[in-house]
């Protein structure tokens, strides 16, 4: 059984939350599953990196912006691997390019095109929990690209597709997908299941709980995606056929 778990920025904001996520990951590993963990940058890190870059050059090139923004996820991946190590389990962190995530050449909004090596499989076979940076890949020139805001969801689902995972779990700061943003509308209704097509419509209407391309990947490769709370771990919403 192979499961891909993705943890969003709020779910990793601070050492306590990184450790909580690591405990969840190792709990699954202990049950015998192979686990690939995809991480976002912690908290507001990506926004802070954008501000830092803009202080230096308001019109920095898209290539350099990607070099800058990819840093946030790299830090998260290293911290997550260290947190798993602290619990006594084997883990290794990989950047997008180490993991072989190839993209087209569109800096700032790149599309994942494939998995260019078998590093993740090799590490899983060695018994490692593999932690991969979300939101980034490498273009045909060998340069780092990023996938657009919220793109770590797409990294997770794409890896689930390429590795033929049994399930992709998106751990976030709400306990599932609702008909409206539950933070703005306390009366919003939660879905137990939602179809890929209906999810894409919700996203079109502004629901940024999932990156649109992640749902397209899930639909095209028939990957069930569960959106659930990193704080409770209670069953969330299954996005499926
Ligand atoms: P993460 O950092 O985990 O990727 P995001 O901020 O990208 O989290 O997505 C989760 C947020 O999406 C929630 O905090 C919620 O406010 C917002 N959201 C917007 N629309 C919806 C919806 N229809 N259902 C659930 N959450 C929604
Ligand atoms: N860190 C990136 C962002 O803030 C990617 C992600 O969180 O999915 O948009
Ligand atoms: Mg997100």
């Amino acid at each position: 059984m192979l499961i891909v778990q993705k943890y969003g920025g709020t779910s990793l904001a601070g050492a306590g939350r990184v450790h909580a996520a690591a405990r969840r990951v190792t709990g699954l590993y202990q049950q015998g599953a192979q686990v690939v963990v995809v991480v976002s940058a912690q908290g507001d890190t990506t926004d802070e990196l954008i501000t830092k870059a803009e202080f230096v050059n308001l019109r920095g090139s898209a290539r350099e912006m990607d070099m800058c923004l990819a840093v946030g996820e790299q830090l998260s991946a290293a911290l997550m691997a260290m947190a798993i190590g602290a619990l006594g389990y084997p883990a290794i962190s990989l950047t997008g390019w180490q993991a072989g995530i190839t993209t087209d050449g569109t800096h700032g909004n790149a599309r994942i095109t494939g998995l260019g090596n078998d590093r993740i499989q090799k590490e899983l076979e060695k018994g490692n929990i593999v932690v991969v940076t979300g939101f980034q890949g490498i273009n045909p020139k060998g340069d780092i690209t990023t996938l657009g805001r919220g793109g770590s969801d797409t990294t997770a689902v794409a890896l689930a597709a390429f590795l033929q995972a049994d399930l992709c779990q998106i751990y976030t700061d709400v306990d599932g997908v609702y008909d409206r943003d539950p933070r703005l509308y306390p009366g919003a209704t939660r879905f137990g299941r939602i179809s890929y097509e209906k999810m894409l419509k919700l996203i079109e209407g502004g629901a940024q709980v999932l990156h649109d391309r992640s749902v397209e990947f899930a639909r095209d490769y028939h990957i069930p995606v569960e959106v659930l709370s990193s704080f409770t771990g209670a069953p969330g919403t299954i996005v499926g056929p």
Side-chain angles (χ1 to χ4, degrees):
M1 169 103 121
L2 171 61
I3 297 188
V4 177
Q5 292 194 330
K6 177 254 172 178
Y7 291 89
T10 314
S11 306
L12 298 172
R17 288 187 184 173
V18 174
H19 269 284
R23 279 194 293 276
R24 205 177 284 298
V25 168
T26 56
L28 186 60
Y29 178 86
Q30 212 174 16
Q31 290 168 34
Q34 291 185 315
V35 192
V36 173
V37 187
V38 172
V39 289
S40 289
Q42 293 181 289
D44 296 326
T45 300
T46 305
D47 292 325
E48 288 161 11
L49 290 170
I50 291 171
T51 304
K52 267 187 212 289
E54 288 179 349
F55 264 120
V56 172
N57 183 347
L58 257 183
R59 285 187 225 149
S61 79
R63 180 191 183 279
E64 300 311 331
M65 205 63 187
D66 277 353
M67 281 290 279
C68 175
L69 295 192
V71 168
E73 273 70 14
Q74 189 170 333
L75 174 61
S76 282
L79 294 176
M80 175 61 78
M82 288 185 218
I84 294 169
L87 295 172
Y89 293 87
I92 184 165
S93 64
L94 300 174
T95 62
W97 72 265
Q98 286 175 311
I101 297 170
T102 58
T103 72
D104 67 14
T106 319
H107 283 292
N109 193 26
R111 247 175 216 283
I112 294 179
T113 51
L115 198 55
N117 68 38
D118 60 357
R119 181 77 188 270
I120 297 177
Q121 284 103 321
K122 288 251 164 68
E123 297 298 342
L124 288 171
E125 280 159 22
K126 283 189 219 162
N128 280 315
I129 293 168
V130 184
V131 185
V132 181
T133 53
F135 180 55
Q136 57 175 267
I138 189 149
N139 70 16
K141 276 186 174 171
D143 287 335
I144 293 173
T145 51
T146 63
L147 309 181
R149 298 305 304 266
S152 296
D153 298 329
T154 298
T155 305
V157 180
L159 287 181
F162 299 146
L163 299 168
Q164 300 184 333
D166 298 281
L167 177 65
C168 180
Q169 293 183 308
I170 305 286
Y171 281 94
T172 184
D173 55 7
V174 286
D175 59 0
V177 177
Y178 286 74
D179 59 348
R180 290 165 290 174
D181 186 338
R183 291 192 191 285
L184 303 180
Y185 303 95
T189 308
R190 196 171 72 96
F191 296 101
R193 290 189 74 91
I194 184 172
S195 69
Y196 298 125
E197 298 306 334
K198 197 160 173 197
M199 186 69 232
L200 284 167
K201 289 235 166 68
L202 271 185
I203 295 171
E204 248 178 64
Q208 39 67 279
V209 60
L210 284 178
H211 194 234
D212 52 358
R213 286 179 187 162
S214 70
V215 182
E216 291 167 3
F217 255 107
R219 178 195 59 196
D220 296 348
Y221 288 83
H222 313 289
I223 304 291
V225 175
E226 184 177 16
V227 177
L228 68 176
S229 163
S230 62
F231 305 126
T232 68
T237 300
I238 300 282
V239 186

